[in-house]
Amino acid sequence: LNAEDEGEVRALVKPLHPADIADLFEQLDADHRTALTTALGRDLNADVLAEMNDWVRDEVVGELAPEHVAEAVSEMDTDDAVALIEELEPAEQEAVLDELSADDRVAIETALSYPEESAGRLMQRELIAVPEHWTIAQVLDFLQTARDDVTDFWEIFVVSPEHKPLGTMRLSWLLTAPRWLGVSDVMQRQQTLIPVDLDQEEVALRFQKYALISAAVVDRDGRLAGVITADDIVHIIAEEAGEDILKLSGAGDGDIFEPVVDSYKARVRWLIANLLTGIVSASIIASFGATIEKMVVLAALSPIVASIGGNTGNQTMAVIVRALATGQMTNANTRRTILREAAVAFLNGVTIALLLGTGVALLFSNAQLGGVIAAATVFNLIIAGLAGVMVPLGLKRLGVDPAVASSVFVTMITDSMGFLLFLGFATASGLAA
Amino acid sequence: LNAEDEGEVRALVKPLHPADIADLFEQLDADHRTALTTALGRDLNADVLAEMNDWVRDEVVGELAPEHVAEAVSEMDTDDAVALIEELEPAEQEAVLDELSADDRVAIETALSYPEESAGRLMQRELIAVPEHWTIAQVLDFLQTARDDVTDFWEIFVVSPEHKPLGTMRLSWLLTAPRWLGVSDVMQRQQTLIPVDLDQEEVALRFQKYALISAAVVDRDGRLAGVITADDIVHIIAEEAGEDILKLSGAGDGDIFEPVVDSYKARVRWLIANLLTGIVSASIIASFGATIEKMVVLAALSPIVASIGGNTGNQTMAVIVRALATGQMTNANTRRTILREAAVAFLNGVTIALLLGTGVALLFSNAQLGGVIAAATVFNLIIAGLAGVMVPLGLKRLGVDPAVASSVFVTMITDSMGFLLFLGFATASGLAA
């Protein structure tokens, strides 16, 4: 990738699929990315930029002239254009918007006026809408003339004179229907309409639930404003489910392309929170100092009770966070789910307590020590199972994202209860007297 | 939902969208599900069953007569039919297959001959294929006659006389192209072909990467065998990403509808594995018994070092597991990613060590104790960051699913190193002498 190879690089890269060129950028380090950006020049077009990872695109776009970015943006569908522009710094954003034609500029500014991660930002405005009184033949003729105005489409929307959606026709119906039939005979009136303000996670759930390929977006007055297609939703779903994993682990929403300082900031917050919960556990252990001094093996065994509890809590929490995210868990089955998780935790608790209690009793030739650790384990695992359901559920009801904050609370509960139960039972039973 | 209300129930439920009826089943408990199954009778059709959660559908289908199930199956596209039948017990499966027409039976048995979770099971065989030498007008006329044979379709496939795919035409191109043009002028030759044996996770990645709405599936001889559409992929992506969360937490692949005993079995294995890693940590602590006896506060502080390490390891591991699952991480950027994660872990380590070390030094008026815990924290967090990358990466290279097994190893490393470093430094520095 030296300067003299530019022509060669361009010749090698140009025949690739835009998604593969975008992948290539992701594989390179920062210096080579700059070199490739320069080498490709104008061949670094809308399709390539649209396919690039957000962090990598930020870096690449930062090196392009605003006119170059504006040219790429004007070739994109509104949804891709908005995805690119919304990530820019305000000054860069302004510079790029200034270079756009008035039409494109208005389209993008309208989209940016909708909340982040809402349907309004995901939709493309390019769509085909026809009146209800047309025949299929009229629609077919209209499409022959509309040739140059639209990109790919998968459904045709039937609208009232006020541009309110009345129904949809999949293109396969249009192609197989007798041509003398009316639009109103062929269209489906049952529609899944997406309000322009709807959060993208909700949009994705509706696509999943109703197995949609595309869906109409309506503005606040109920008029047809745009269309969202399944290929965009595929990205959203992968993103949202992936984000839940990262959030649960306290890693923010970063990926391996996020700048190091951003990753540091996102993660250190949760480590500090974890430090505070660690202090709670440490205080509990310290308060049993006298017992531990008499029987130091208690200090070695207590982390096992805490850690198994943490594990059980995490298992339940992961299941519940997914159930809440996918809409499986509702008021109707909350009670049943809590009982279900308590039952699983109880079975796990008894199994682990038997193994651990027997092992400890034999190893230390001390049946009482085995009994104490077994009892502490059963109770801590039941508490862990309940905490794994109640914490995410409670956070959701308070309007907090359960994926983000559940871990800290569940870990605090299972850790502190693990130490408290084990050391408490040991002290109360006079084990170390 | 008493017997006498059956008519009323049916009247209430029937007008709902099939996906909403399926949801209703998911909300009910087992007794009410049985009652609703009886009440709906034949109205419990293909569309409703196709939308139901796997565990719930198993339960409902178990109560239906094989003829009823066979009737529903014969109305489904092959992909939905296979999804239903593959979950049945072998005897039930046989009974249902016996009730099907010869055509349907062959189609489903062929699909079942492909590996589980492969493209061959996901595809539907219903599709439109045309020869290359036709004109657009001929294709349009053909579709008028093909009306009754196929369900919805989104693309038309162009095939050679040997039925090998040559290209695709999106329906919107067909509708807007001049009718006198040839198929070969309109079709796109660059295709994303899916081999029939490809794993569904790979299929989903290709749909994501190339923003596909539908894609051709080819058999082992390269002939067009079926088509996969984005609405099915939406389910797969949600499922796979959701599974990664559950696997990382050691909860198997269950959801809130999984029978309690299955959940117990899936989860207890990981708790037992965790118990074994807990024994490693306990042995390390026990080996420092003499030090702890002299200075019991070490027992209270050591779990903090272990726990913060576990947290750091989990953050990195979540990022890496996602990067591996989405194909972001490749040989080209592995070294860069390891350095990146080490850098983030180092920054986190220094921050937490400063906070924890200063706090401990002030609280116990013991600068040496503060220094020991700070040093142990920095080292453990760097180890945790490296383990968070290397463990999933190593498992992936060994052909093991990194989401399933990473947690146990990472936790074992961060826990045992946390105790070893802190208690080791304390002993070596003569802190408790």
Side-chain angles (χ1 to χ4, degrees):
Chain A
L1 272 169
N2 299 320
E4 55 250 69
D5 304 334
E6 280 194 9
E8 209 177 314
V9 168
R10 197 157 44 226
L12 275 171
V13 169
K14 221 181 148 179
L16 297 176
H17 189 286
D20 291 313
I21 303 179
D23 263 15
L24 184 61
F25 272 95
E26 293 171 11
Q27 301 307 317
L28 296 173
D29 62 28
D31 289 347
H32 286 103
R33 272 179 208 154
T34 310
L36 186 57
T37 307
T38 317
L40 286 180
R42 294 284 151 169
D43 289 334
L44 183 54
N45 59 20
D47 293 333
V48 178
L49 287 171
E51 294 292 338
M52 226 175 261
N53 173 282
D54 288 356
W55 307 108
V56 176
R57 190 174 53 209
D58 270 10
E59 207 184 300
V60 170
V61 167
E63 289 173 17
L64 299 177
E67 313 88 72
H68 184 158
V69 180
E71 194 189 306
V73 162
S74 64
E75 283 166 23
M76 291 176 173
D77 287 337
T78 18
D79 55 337
D80 290 329
V82 168
L84 191 155
I85 289 189
E86 69 186 357
E87 297 288 334
L88 298 178
E89 305 290 319
E92 290 177 296
Q93 220 176 62
E94 208 42 57
V96 172
L97 285 172
D98 279 344
E99 296 286 335
L100 289 176
S101 72
D103 273 6
D104 285 342
R105 193 188 160 115
V106 168
I108 288 170
E109 285 180 341
T110 311
L112 287 175
S113 73
Y114 299 118
E116 271 187 55
E117 310 213 322
S118 71
R121 295 214 178 183
L122 283 180
M123 71 186 185
Q124 60 181 66
R125 291 156 61 102
E126 297 81 6
L127 55 82
I128 304 275
V130 298
E132 192 180 9
H133 61 80
W134 279 13
T135 63
I136 297 299
Q138 278 177 294
V139 176
L140 292 176
D141 289 343
F142 169 72
L143 290 175
Q144 289 280 317
T145 65
R147 192 170 304 162
D148 299 323
D149 297 344
V150 283
T151 51
D152 294 339
F153 53 94
W154 308 97
E155 275 182 310
I156 288 183
F157 299 97
V158 184
V159 291
S160 70
E162 302 82 39
H163 216 66
K164 295 195 175 171
L166 300 172
T168 61
M169 281 192 297
R170 296 186 168 185
L171 299 189
S172 58
W173 305 343
L174 192 65
L175 284 162
T176 53
R179 289 174 194 162
W180 46 264
L181 273 181
V183 161
S184 60
D185 301 318
V186 175
M187 75 182 196
Q188 181 182 32
R189 286 179 192 274
Q190 191 179 39
Q191 296 182 85
T192 307
L193 298 177
I194 311 273
V196 82
D197 292 318
L198 199 69
D199 184 79
Q200 64 176 23
E201 200 162 356
E202 275 301 313
V203 177
L205 282 180
R206 292 200 191 175
F207 266 77
Q208 252 177 283
K209 181 166 173 189
Y210 298 112
L212 302 173
I213 290 289
S214 74
V217 180
V218 288
D219 67 17
R220 288 153 197 156
D221 302 320
R223 279 190 301 260
L224 185 62
V227 56
I228 296 179
T229 48
D231 55 333
D232 298 318
I233 293 304
V234 160
H235 282 278
I236 303 296
I237 293 179
E239 222 177 273
E240 293 278 345
E243 273 178 15
D244 277 355
I245 299 189
L246 298 174
K247 286 183 202 158
L248 263 183
S249 78
D253 59 0
D255 56 35
I256 58 169
F257 303 117
E258 187 182 37
V260 168
V261 176
D262 293 356
S263 294
Y264 161 69
K265 283 187 200 152
R267 296 189 200 173
V268 80
R269 289 184 295 148
W270 294 107
L271 295 179
I272 293 174
N274 186 254
L275 192 57
L276 299 175
T277 67
I279 292 171
V280 175
S281 298
S283 315
I284 292 174
I285 302 173
S287 72
F288 289 101
T291 310
I292 293 172
E293 262 177 358
K294 283 183 218 146
M295 193 174 186
V296 85
V297 72
L298 295 179
L301 293 175
S302 57
I304 298 183
V305 182
S307 157
I308 291 273
N311 227 289
T312 303
N314 278 329
Q315 291 177 337
T316 309
M317 185 174 65
V319 173
I320 300 303
V321 164
R322 279 313 290 164
L324 289 171
T326 56
Q328 285 179 339
M329 203 164 161
T330 58
N331 289 331
N333 59 17
T334 296
R335 208 176 130 263
R336 200 154 7 110
T337 305
I338 294 173
L339 291 175
R340 177 189 181 283
E341 291 300 327
V344 176
F346 177 75
L347 289 174
N348 280 329
V350 171
T351 309
I352 298 295
L354 275 175
L355 289 173
L356 184 57
T358 314
V360 165
L362 293 176
L363 188 65
F364 297 94
S365 309
N366 186 336
Q368 196 186 347
L369 184 58
V372 162
I373 203 166
T377 302
V378 172
F379 282 107
N380 198 33
L381 262 57
I382 295 173
I383 291 170
L386 291 174
V389 190
M390 309 296 275
V391 168
L393 203 62
L395 288 172
K396 171 99 178 182
R397 296 215 168 151
L398 291 173
V400 180
D401 182 349
V404 172
S406 294
S407 266
V408 175
F409 290 108
V410 171
T411 306
M412 186 175 75
I413 293 170
T414 56
D415 268 8
S416 54
M417 289 309 293
F419 291 118
L420 184 64
L421 287 166
F422 178 57
L423 297 173
F425 287 169
T427 308
S429 68
L431 183 63
Chain B
L1 271 169
N2 299 322
E4 56 251 67
D5 304 334
E6 281 194 10
E8 208 176 315
V9 168
R10 199 160 40 227
L12 275 172
V13 169
K14 222 181 146 177
L16 297 176
H17 189 285
D20 291 314
I21 303 180
D23 262 15
L24 184 61
F25 272 95
E26 292 171 12
Q27 302 307 318
L28 295 173
D29 63 28
D31 289 347
H32 286 103
R33 273 179 206 154
T34 311
L36 185 57
T37 307
T38 317
L40 285 181
R42 295 284 151 168
D43 289 333
L44 184 54
N45 59 19
D47 293 333
V48 177
L49 287 172
E51 295 291 339
M52 227 176 258
N53 173 282
D54 288 356
W55 307 108
V56 176
R57 189 175 55 208
D58 270 9
E59 207 184 301
V60 170
V61 167
E63 288 172 19
L64 299 177
E67 314 89 70
H68 184 159
V69 180
E71 193 190 308
V73 163
S74 65
E75 284 166 22
M76 291 175 173
D77 287 337
T78 17
D79 55 335
D80 290 330
V82 168
L84 191 155
I85 289 189
E86 69 184 358
E87 297 288 335
L88 298 178
E89 305 290 320
E92 290 176 296
Q93 221 176 62
E94 210 41 58
V96 172
L97 285 171
D98 281 343
E99 296 286 336
L100 289 176
S101 72
D103 274 6
D104 285 342
R105 194 188 159 117
V106 168
I108 288 169
E109 285 180 343
T110 310
L112 287 174
S113 73
Y114 299 118
E116 272 187 55
E117 310 212 322
S118 71
R121 295 215 179 181
L122 281 180
M123 72 186 185
Q124 62 180 65
R125 292 156 61 101
E126 298 80 7
L127 57 81
I128 304 275
V130 298
E132 193 181 8
H133 61 78
W134 279 12
T135 62
I136 297 298
Q138 278 176 294
V139 176
L140 292 176
D141 289 343
F142 169 71
L143 289 174
Q144 288 281 316
T145 65
R147 191 171 303 161
D148 299 324
D149 297 343
V150 282
T151 51
D152 294 338
F153 52 95
W154 308 97
E155 275 182 311
I156 288 183
F157 299 97
V158 184
V159 291
S160 71
E162 303 81 40
H163 217 65
K164 295 196 175 171
L166 300 173
T168 61
M169 281 192 298
R170 297 188 167 183
L171 299 189
S172 57
W173 306 342
L174 191 66
L175 284 162
T176 53
R179 288 173 194 163
W180 47 265
L181 273 181
V183 162
S184 60
D185 301 319
V186 176
M187 76 182 196
Q188 181 181 32
R189 286 177 192 275
Q190 191 180 40
Q191 296 181 84
T192 308
L193 298 177
I194 311 274
V196 83
D197 292 317
L198 198 70
D199 184 79
Q200 64 176 22
E201 199 164 356
E202 275 301 313
V203 177
L205 282 180
R206 292 200 191 176
F207 266 76
Q208 252 178 282
K209 181 166 172 188
Y210 299 112
L212 303 174
I213 290 290
S214 74
V217 180
V218 288
D219 66 18
R220 286 150 199 160
D221 302 321
R223 279 191 300 261
L224 185 63
V227 57
I228 297 180
T229 48
D231 54 333
D232 299 317
I233 293 304
V234 159
H235 281 279
I236 304 296
I237 292 178
E239 222 177 273
E240 294 278 344
E243 273 178 15
D244 276 356
I245 299 189
L246 298 173
K247 287 183 202 156
L248 263 184
S249 79
D253 59 1
D255 57 35
I256 58 169
F257 303 117
E258 187 182 37
V260 168
V261 176
D262 293 356
S263 293
Y264 161 70
K265 283 187 200 154
R267 296 188 200 174
V268 81
R269 289 184 296 148
W270 294 108
L271 296 179
I272 292 173
N274 186 254
L275 192 56
L276 299 176
T277 68
I279 292 171
V280 175
S281 299
S283 316
I284 292 173
I285 302 172
S287 72
F288 290 100
T291 309
I292 293 172
E293 261 177 356
K294 284 183 216 143
M295 194 174 185
V296 84
V297 71
L298 295 178
L301 293 175
S302 57
I304 297 182
V305 181
S307 155
I308 291 274
N311 226 289
T312 303
N314 278 329
Q315 290 176 338
T316 308
M317 186 174 65
V319 172
I320 300 302
V321 165
R322 278 312 289 163
L324 290 171
T326 55
Q328 285 179 337
M329 203 165 160
T330 59
N331 289 332
N333 59 18
T334 296
R335 208 176 130 261
R336 200 156 4 113
T337 305
I338 294 173
L339 291 176
R340 177 188 182 282
E341 290 301 327
V344 176
F346 176 74
L347 290 175
N348 280 328
V350 171
T351 309
I352 299 294
L354 276 175
L355 288 172
L356 184 56
T358 313
V360 165
L362 292 176
L363 187 64
F364 296 95
S365 310
N366 186 336
Q368 196 186 348
L369 183 60
V372 163
I373 203 166
T377 302
V378 171
F379 282 108
N380 198 32
L381 262 58
I382 295 173
I383 292 171
L386 291 174
V389 189
M390 309 296 275
V391 168
L393 203 62
L395 289 171
K396 171 99 179 183
R397 296 215 167 150
L398 292 173
V400 180
D401 182 350
V404 171
S406 295
S407 266
V408 175
F409 291 107
V410 171
T411 305
M412 185 175 75
I413 294 169
T414 55
D415 268 9
S416 54
M417 290 310 293
F419 291 118
L420 184 65
L421 288 166
F422 179 57
L423 297 174
F425 287 170
T427 308
S429 68
L431 183 63

